[in-house]
Amino acid sequence: TGILSNEDTLLNDVSGSIESDNTALKADSSVIKNNGTIDGIITAVYGENSNIMNNGSIKSSDTAVRAVNGQYLENAGKIESSNNGVEIVSGVNLFSNHFKNSGNIYAENKSVKFYGENNVLELSGDSDIKGNIDGGTGENILILNGNINLNDSTADNFNKLVAIGNTVFNGTVNLSPSNNSSYYTETF
């Protein structure tokens, strides 16, 4: 592991670079703000019970970002991976399964993959995604707010689609029927 953060705040500034042949940055109960470059062969950023905010560049040959029971996860920068871009393992914390993206995610396999139930993915701003999105299990919500481009990728395993404001969307969303028959929670 390149850097281990435990109950700390870590800022990787614009000129900063963190690299490792394994995991570049491992965080537990920490706040991670990346404005520079993080490059890890196995996993670039692994966060557990942590806030992860990316405005820079995160790259990995396997998984670029893996958030387990995260507190807050947001990407406004660039995430690249030869496998999965962002993996989110939801937990018991509020918003542990909520990911907001207004940046770029390019992945050979899944750009975003949720593990667990009742997930929320918010694509806003000028989100540019390459690699399919997997909403996971349970009742999942996809929120679109801005100019969203999926580049021939699909968003699967979502039950609700919410479009906010002047949204322009280029891509395919395969909605699944909701298990909840309430008007406010069913697929429509």
Side-chain angles (χ1 to χ4, degrees):
T1 300
I3 293 179
L4 178 62
S5 175
N6 189 7
E7 298 182 6
D8 291 314
T9 297
L10 183 116
L11 171 63
N12 186 29
D13 209 351
V14 174
S15 60
S17 179
I18 302 170
E19 297 179 21
S20 175
D21 290 340
N22 194 338
T23 299
L25 174 60
K26 185 174 182 182
D28 187 10
S29 303
S30 296
V31 175
I32 306 303
K33 296 178 182 178
N34 179 50
N35 296 319
T37 301
I38 301 176
D39 192 353
I41 300 299
I42 305 298
T43 303
V45 177
Y46 178 91
E48 194 162 335
N49 302 306
S50 296
N51 296 341
I52 302 170
M53 291 152 283
N54 179 49
N55 289 306
S57 174
I58 299 176
K59 295 190 291 188
S60 175
S61 298
D62 191 17
T63 300
V65 177
R66 184 169 173 88
V68 178
N69 196 26
Q71 305 288 321
Y72 183 78
L73 181 59
E74 182 173 356
N75 175 50
K78 186 174 187 179
I79 296 174
E80 296 177 271
S81 174
S82 299
N83 189 20
N84 292 330
V86 178
E87 293 181 348
I88 301 166
V89 181
S90 59
V92 297
N93 292 322
L94 185 63
F95 302 119
S96 69
N97 50 359
H98 187 136
F99 173 43
K100 182 177 180 180
N101 182 75
S102 59
N104 302 325
I105 304 175
Y106 305 125
E108 297 295 320
N109 190 18
K110 304 285 185 192
S111 59
V112 180
K113 181 167 178 57
F114 286 96
Y115 296 91
E117 298 183 352
N118 307 326
N119 305 302
V120 178
L121 174 61
E122 184 176 348
L123 300 176
S124 62
D126 289 317
S127 290
D128 194 47
I129 309 287
K130 183 174 187 262
N132 293 337
I133 299 169
D134 184 351
T137 59
E139 298 287 319
N140 306 306
I141 301 170
L142 177 60
I143 301 171
L144 305 175
N145 184 12
N147 296 312
I148 316 302
N149 187 3
L150 291 187
N151 295 297
D152 296 322
S153 301
T154 63
D156 302 306
N157 298 318
F158 287 93
N159 308 91
K160 300 172 197 135
L161 177 63
V162 178
I164 301 171
N166 294 323
T167 296
V168 177
F169 177 74
N170 178 14
T172 302
V173 177
N174 296 311
L175 289 174
S176 301
S178 174
N179 292 327
N180 191 330
S181 61
S182 167
Y183 169 79
Y184 293 102
T185 58
E186 39 179 64
T187 302
F188 54 89

